Amino acid sequence: MADKATRVRIDGHVLSLSNLDKVLYPEVGFTKGEVIDYYSRIAPVLLPRLTDRPLTRKRWPDGVGGQPFFEKNVPRGTPDWVRTVTVASPGSTRDREEVEYVVADDLPTLVWLANLAALELHVPQWRVGPRGGVRRPDLLVVDLDPGPPADLVACCEVALLLRDLFDADGLRAWAKTSGGKGMQMYVPIAETSGETTSAYAKELAEKLAHDHPELVVSSMRRSLRPGKVLLDWSQNNPAKTTIAAYSLRGREAPTVSTPLTWEEVEGCEEAEALSFGPADVLDRVEEFGDLFADLSTLEQRLP
């Protein structure tokens, strides 16, 4: 017999939550109800990372052992109170293709998405305005992707080198884990073009690859990547998205893309030390607060 739906009222909206006992992470028995509980509790620090950003979801309706799918468009049955925005799809031919996105600005929307087994939440580096117009990028991101046997420890080493380059240009940077084997670094910037942020990030990536060829690669060529950390500057393309800070990942066990302190990056000696699950992240927020809080307010100009 199918589980009965549980009806809850959140901020004036009634949601019907189904199959709360369904195991979405079989290796550890982590259920849909626990996914919803995590997203409900992490919402105060997660929602600022999603506000005004068109949301791409990666859903696992049959759990992480099943077939996932990416979803950009608003799904059928979306409640009328969910904020949506229709924008030209970045990268489409002459922007002819339009996508109607969900924008997760509030707790009811976050819970509704969790009930759909939207485990991963991916956002671009740009926002939409109050009337739906597309703003220019306000974040610069560099993805640090290690090629085995390089791991998160190597990513931390490269992150410190990259931080030094940002520092030299008067820019403050933040780091987080990807929730998997890699990391991302963010620099909040005054709104500028995707071409400008991409060109600047590419320049830094190529400099580090030149100065540290044994450790860093800036080219996507797979033959160059074993044992090195790829600095993927192309994430600044407006058509691309990056896993949001505090989002779950669809791995064997529920890991979280977790903001880090620079002391943690400097002291990293084993990859496992920077792997965090939902309970770990909730404890960290209680201890540190939102380590990414300034990304919403600080504007820095690229040199």
Side-chain angles (χ1 to χ4, degrees):
M1 180 182 296
D3 288 350
K4 291 183 179 180
T6 299
R7 291 172 68 83
V8 298
R9 180 179 290 274
I10 303 174
D11 295 346
H13 301 298
V14 176
L15 288 82
S16 182
L17 308 180
S18 60
N19 301 314
L20 296 180
D21 292 332
K22 183 174 184 177
V23 175
L24 297 184
Y25 292 87
E27 185 172 290
V28 293
F30 202 78
T31 66
K32 189 206 280 191
E34 290 174 296
V35 168
I36 293 172
D37 178 69
Y38 168 72
Y39 274 128
S40 298
R41 296 170 64 191
I42 203 65
V45 294
L46 170 59
L47 288 173
R49 312 281 73 79
L50 308 179
T51 296
D52 293 336
R53 298 190 190 274
L55 186 64
T56 298
R57 294 85 62 199
K58 191 172 183 181
R59 293 172 54 185
W60 277 264
D62 298 316
V64 297
Q67 184 64 39
F69 63 95
F70 277 100
E71 184 176 63
K72 291 180 179 288
N73 279 291
V74 172
R76 291 181 182 177
T78 297
D80 58 10
W81 45 262
V82 170
R83 182 186 174 192
T84 64
V85 61
T86 300
V87 298
S89 178
S92 63
T93 304
R94 296 182 181 177
D95 290 332
R96 288 176 179 171
E97 179 185 348
E98 288 189 332
V99 178
E100 185 181 11
Y101 288 95
V102 169
V103 181
D105 281 347
D106 55 30
L107 178 58
T109 301
L110 197 57
V111 172
W112 168 70
L113 290 169
N115 187 59
L116 296 178
L119 301 182
E120 293 188 0
L121 308 174
H122 298 250
V123 288
Q125 317 317 322
W126 48 271
R127 299 176 183 264
V128 293
R131 297 182 181 85
V134 175
R135 295 178 174 173
R136 296 187 296 173
D138 59 354
L139 290 173
L140 179 149
V141 62
V142 180
D143 186 65
L144 286 72
D145 186 9
D151 60 9
L152 195 55
V153 177
C155 287
C156 287
E157 185 177 351
V158 174
L160 294 172
L161 295 172
L162 186 54
R163 182 187 64 173
D164 289 344
L165 294 185
F166 286 132
D167 284 346
D169 284 335
L171 298 171
R172 185 179 171 196
W174 282 257
K176 70 175 178 67
T177 71
S178 67
K181 61 182 180 178
M183 295 175 62
Q184 286 91 33
M185 286 182 63
Y186 287 85
V187 175
I189 55 175
E191 288 186 11
T192 186
S193 69
E195 292 80 9
T196 298
T197 53
S198 291
Y200 176 67
K202 180 182 181 183
E203 179 183 342
L204 297 190
E206 290 178 342
K207 175 174 174 52
L208 284 186
H210 176 270
D211 293 347
H212 304 275
E214 76 293 346
L215 183 61
V216 180
V217 61
S218 61
S219 168
M220 297 289 181
R221 287 173 53 190
R222 291 195 174 275
S223 61
L224 301 176
R225 293 175 59 180
K228 300 180 182 181
V229 175
L230 169 66
L231 290 182
D232 184 0
W233 49 268
S234 72
Q235 293 293 105
N236 296 286
N237 184 319
K240 292 195 174 185
T241 59
T242 308
I243 190 72
Y246 304 110
S247 172
L248 289 167
R249 299 308 305 265
R251 311 285 178 176
E252 293 82 0
T255 56
V256 177
S257 181
T258 308
L260 300 172
T261 68
W262 281 111
E263 289 77 13
E264 288 176 310
V265 177
E266 292 164 356
C268 180
E269 295 182 351
E270 55 182 24
E272 293 74 17
L274 295 184
S275 179
F276 304 104
D280 301 321
V281 172
L282 289 167
D283 288 343
R284 287 172 61 83
V285 170
E286 187 170 339
E287 179 180 359
F288 298 123
D290 180 9
L291 292 175
F292 267 26
D294 287 344
L295 266 70
S296 301
T297 59
L298 185 64
E299 292 186 352
Q300 305 176 109
R301 297 202 173 273
L302 297 178

